[in-house]
């Protein structure tokens, strides 16, 4: 029984490591219990779907179903992704802690896992705040154009660096139609993480 025979023992060992780590780190009761249930049932197929591969940024941003595991959108993957994004932004922008982040969210939700755009936005905000980065969090469901308007309204006072509805990057120059088109093109192609 070599590991090369369709994944074999090597895949089982990797899955065991991933799930054990998940059980240590996940603080969301619903996703934690879902993983415990799959382990108790011996449901390797579903565990494989949850822990098959870590989500990656693509042209549409970070996209996956909500649920437990590293392959899904959930509290733990949002916190980890935001921590990584925070590290990246700190390297790119020396004034990140002065300018801050604007965060909004939409109406998506997945009650069985406890996941929702609102919850993910709050977790991302908490992660940024814990790193000393100011956060401007919308209090209700907000369409992306409202976020762009908020950035324009705040520009004169705060000149915020980023918006996290879709990890929007704000140029430091004055807003005009050409700049807005360039910004939206950049967002679509580069760094969208929708909550």
């Amino acid at each position: 029984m070599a590991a090369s025979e369709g994944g074999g023992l090597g895949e089982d060992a990797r899955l065991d490591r991933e799930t054990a780590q998940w059980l240590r780190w996940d603080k969301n009761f619903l996703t934690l219990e879902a993983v415990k249930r799959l382990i108790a049932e011996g449901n390797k197929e579903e565990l494989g779907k949850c822990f098959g591969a870590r989500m990656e940024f693509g042209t549409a941003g970070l996209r996956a179903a909500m649920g437990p595991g590293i392959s899904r959108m959930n509290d733990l993957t949002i916190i980890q992704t935001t921590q990584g994004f925070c590290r990246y932004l700190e390297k790119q922008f020396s004034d990140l802690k002065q300018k801050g982040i604007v965060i909004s969210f939409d109406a998506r939700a997945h009650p069985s896992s406890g996941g929702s755009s609102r919850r993910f936005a709050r977790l991302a905000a908490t992660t940024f705040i814990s790193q000393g980065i100011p956060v401007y969090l919308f209090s209700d469901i907000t369409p992306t154009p409202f976020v762009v308007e908020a950035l324009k309204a705040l520009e004169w006072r705060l000149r915020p660096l980023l918006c996290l509805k879709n990890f929007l990057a704000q140029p430091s120059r004055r807003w005009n139609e050409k700049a807005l088109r360039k910004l939206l093109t950049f967002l679509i192609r580069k760094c969208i993480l929708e909550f």
Side-chain angles (χ1 to χ4, degrees), residues 17-156:
R17 279 192 312 275
E18 291 286 352
T19 55
Q21 187 175 61
W22 184 268
L23 294 173
R24 283 192 310 273
W25 291 352
D26 189 15
K27 303 302 179 204
N28 179 319
F29 177 78
L30 294 172
T31 51
L32 185 64
E33 289 302 311
V35 171
K36 286 180 180 178
R37 182 178 33 78
L38 292 173
I39 292 169
E41 294 169 354
N43 192 339
K44 296 278 186 181
E45 183 179 340
E46 191 59 31
L47 283 168
K49 290 177 185 176
C50 294
F51 293 94
R54 187 167 285 281
M55 293 178 294
E56 295 181 4
F57 276 97
T59 55
L62 190 63
R63 301 276 183 154
M66 290 184 200
I70 62 172
S71 301
R72 310 270 170 88
M73 299 283 283
N74 53 65
D75 292 3
L76 186 55
T77 56
I78 290 297
I79 291 167
Q80 290 173 333
T81 300
T82 305
Q83 287 171 335
F85 191 57
C86 185
R87 296 290 82 78
Y88 170 79
L89 293 175
E90 287 174 333
K91 289 178 184 174
Q92 300 300 312
F93 304 100
S94 60
D95 56 356
L96 178 65
K97 291 186 178 183
Q98 288 76 45
K99 290 185 176 182
I101 302 289
V102 175
I103 302 176
S104 70
F105 52 91
D106 61 26
R108 284 176 284 187
H110 188 254
S112 65
S113 70
S116 71
S117 296
R118 179 184 305 266
R119 181 177 178 88
F120 295 161
R122 288 178 177 168
L123 288 168
T126 301
T127 303
F128 278 110
I129 290 168
S130 75
Q131 300 303 306
I133 298 168
V135 172
Y136 305 93
L137 176 63
F138 278 84
S139 61
D140 207 351
I141 296 166
T142 310
T144 302
F146 283 35
V147 176
V148 173
E149 289 302 314
L151 290 172
K152 291 191 313 190
L154 288 171
E155 182 182 16
W156 68 273

Side-chain angles (χ1 to χ4, degrees), residues 102 104-106 142 144 147 163-167 193-195:
V102 175
S104 70
F105 52 91
D106 61 26
T142 310
T144 302
V147 176
C163 164
L164 224 162
K165 158 89 164 90
N166 294 332
F167 281 165
L193 174 58
E194 289 194 39
F195 288 126

